[in-house]
């Protein structure tokens, strides 16, 4: 543990001209007294760490010293490619590996490029979860992530509706979609790849047995295909809607854009009032009610009759509220 901390301290000082004891203590999560002892240990080991005294002082490396301990380990190299999604790294338990990888890359850069990591961080940040909701990280996510990285077969228990099911899985990859984690896994008993919501896992046992990964498996392509299948599968009903020009513009913000684009492509010409009648595939009438309510008077439900009556009742109640006001 201490050896790793000493290496990290050298890499920090190599990446920056000077750092105070307080700054180093914060980065390494130790006390300033520990920093003093570590600096002394490095000096005794031949690393030229120099301490400037005074209020503006700090620690620095002298004589252009550069460590050769900048080779990336496998976990660090893999984590480095995810460094643009800090939240995902933290939830998978890879934050330390990514931090070490970034330090090693910084230490290996020429002095003229030292500000490249900070410059990139100031210009790009990925915030994956959707707005207005806080989704906690699944409890078993770090263990599942470990199995994914190591190609280790697992025995998993998960909730399928209200029933707990146990499966032998070969975890191929993790996907973060709108703040929700999914596991793409091969199921040996069925010979197929399937998708599981990680927050539905209730237990996980991981042994030493590894599986042989199918090198032809393409995680992004697999996810795109399954996501499209899922989106199509849940659209079991249809509603007929008459839209104003404003309603046509607003509809992609209320419903899935691919569904809207396909429906609008088969819509007829506008009527004399400029309204377009379109048939929209929906999950069910309750979901359609929630989605189309966002359009207000820019959308008129034509069919089914029960949903039209529901909108008419809601409109009447709204009108009465405003009349009372």
């Amino acid at each position: 543990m201490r050896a790793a901390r000493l290496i990290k301290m050298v890499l920090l000082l190599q990446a920056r001209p000077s750092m105070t004891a307080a700054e180093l203590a914060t980065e390494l999560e130790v006390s300033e007294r520990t920093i003093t002892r570590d600096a002394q240990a490095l000096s005794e080991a031949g690393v030229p760490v120099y301490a400037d005294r005074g209020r503006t002082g700090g620690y620095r490396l002298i004589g252009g010293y550069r460590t050769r301990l900048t080779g990336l380990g496998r976990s660090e190299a893999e984590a480095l490619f995810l460094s643009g999604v800090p939240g995902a790294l933290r939830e998978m338990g890879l934050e330390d590996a990514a931090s070490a990888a970034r330090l090693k890359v910084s230490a290996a850069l020429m002095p003229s490029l030292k500000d490249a990591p900070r410059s990139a961080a100031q210009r790009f940040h990925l915030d994956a979860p959707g707005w207005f909701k806080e989704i906690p990280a699944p409890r078993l996510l770090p263990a599942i992530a470990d199995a994914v990285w190591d190609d280790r077969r697992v025995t998993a228990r998960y909730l399928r509706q209200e029933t707990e099911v146990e499966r032998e899985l070969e975890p191929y990859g993790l996907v973060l979609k709108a703040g929700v984690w999914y596991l793409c896994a091969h199921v040996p008993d069925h010979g197929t790849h399937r998708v599981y919501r990680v927050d539905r896992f209730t237990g996980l046992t991981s042994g030493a047995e590894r599986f042989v990964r199918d090198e032809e498996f393409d995680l992004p392509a697999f996810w795109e295909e399954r996501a499209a299948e899922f989106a199509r599968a849940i659209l079991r009903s249809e509603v007929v809607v008459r839209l104003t020009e404003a309603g046509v513009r607003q509809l992609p913000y209320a419903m899935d854009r691919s569904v809207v684009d396909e429906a609008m492509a088969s819509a007829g010409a506008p009527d004399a009032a400029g309204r377009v009648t379109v048939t929209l595939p929906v999950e069910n009438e309750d979901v359609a009610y929630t989605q189309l309510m966002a359009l207000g008077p820019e959308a008129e439900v034509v069919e089914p009759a029960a949903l039209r009556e529901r909108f008419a009742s809601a409109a009447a109640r709204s009108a009465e509220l405003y009349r009372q006001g």
Side-chain angles (χ1 to χ4, degrees):
M1 182 69 178
R2 190 190 185 200
R5 188 176 70 242
L6 291 174
I7 292 172
K8 190 171 183 179
M9 182 174 174
V10 172
L11 292 173
L12 283 168
L13 293 174
Q14 186 170 310
R16 307 180 194 179
S18 177
M19 294 184 71
T20 66
E23 290 171 337
L24 285 167
T26 299
E27 288 280 356
L28 300 176
E29 299 180 347
V30 295
S31 67
E32 292 186 34
R33 180 171 295 181
T34 298
I35 294 299
T36 301
R37 289 198 296 265
D38 285 353
Q40 180 64 32
L42 287 171
S43 181
E44 292 173 356
V47 178
V49 177
Y50 179 78
D52 289 317
R53 306 296 178 184
R55 270 188 358 184
T56 60
Y59 291 93
R60 61 187 176 88
L61 295 174
I62 61 175
Y65 178 85
R66 298 186 66 78
T67 177
R68 296 181 181 272
L69 298 174
T70 54
L72 293 178
R74 181 175 181 82
S75 64
E76 295 168 345
E78 291 169 333
L80 185 60
F81 286 100
L82 293 171
S83 59
V85 280
L89 283 168
R90 183 170 55 254
E91 292 177 5
M92 288 191 292
L94 294 171
E95 193 171 28
D96 288 344
S99 175
R102 288 192 293 268
L103 275 173
K104 289 183 178 182
V105 170
S106 295
L109 292 174
M110 294 186 302
S112 61
L113 299 177
K114 288 296 184 185
D115 66 336
R118 181 173 178 272
S119 177
Q122 289 177 329
R123 288 164 172 79
F124 176 75
H125 174 70
L126 176 62
D127 185 7
W131 287 101
F132 311 124
K133 56 183 178 181
E134 187 70 28
I135 302 176
R139 176 176 59 87
L140 294 174
L141 178 61
I144 293 173
D146 284 344
V148 169
W149 287 118
D150 291 344
D151 293 340
R152 274 185 282 114
R153 185 173 292 189
V154 300
T155 301
R157 296 190 307 278
Y158 69 98
L159 289 176
R160 186 163 61 188
Q161 296 179 345
E162 300 303 320
T163 304
E164 190 174 63
V165 179
E166 185 172 284
R167 286 281 185 273
E168 295 290 326
L169 300 177
E170 296 175 350
Y172 267 61
L174 286 162
V175 174
L176 178 60
K177 171 71 172 179
V180 179
W181 285 95
Y182 297 88
L183 172 68
C184 301
H186 179 251
V187 187
D189 290 345
H190 298 278
T192 59
H193 288 84
R194 296 185 178 181
V195 176
Y196 301 86
R197 272 187 66 139
V198 174
D199 59 9
R200 285 188 164 271
F201 284 94
T202 58
L204 190 81
T205 303
S206 178
E209 182 183 0
R210 284 179 164 79
F211 63 90
V212 179
R213 178 177 289 266
D214 179 4
E215 296 301 328
E216 298 298 318
F217 180 79
D218 185 331
L219 179 60
F222 172 78
W223 174 258
E224 183 177 0
E225 179 183 345
R226 289 304 169 90
E229 289 176 1
F230 174 77
R232 289 193 298 268
I234 64 173
L235 302 179
R236 301 186 180 94
S237 303
E238 288 185 343
V239 298
V240 179
V241 182
R242 192 173 290 124
L243 299 167
T244 65
E245 289 185 15
V248 172
R249 292 194 301 270
Q250 295 171 18
L251 187 59
Y253 299 99
M255 305 182 70
D256 183 82
R257 179 173 289 275
S258 62
V259 171
V260 172
D261 289 344
E262 186 174 337
M264 293 304 300
S266 59
D271 62 16
R275 297 189 300 174
V276 176
T277 300
V278 60
T279 300
L280 296 167
V282 295
E283 186 173 346
N284 54 53
E285 289 189 16
D286 287 337
V287 173
Y289 178 81
T290 301
Q291 292 173 323
L292 295 174
M293 183 62 76
L295 302 184
E298 309 304 332
E300 176 194 357
V301 174
V302 180
E303 296 177 0
L307 184 60
R308 179 180 175 86
E309 179 59 31
R310 191 172 173 182
F311 270 91
S313 175
R317 295 199 308 271
S318 295
E320 181 63 24
L321 286 173
Y322 283 100
R323 276 197 297 270
Q324 292 174 358

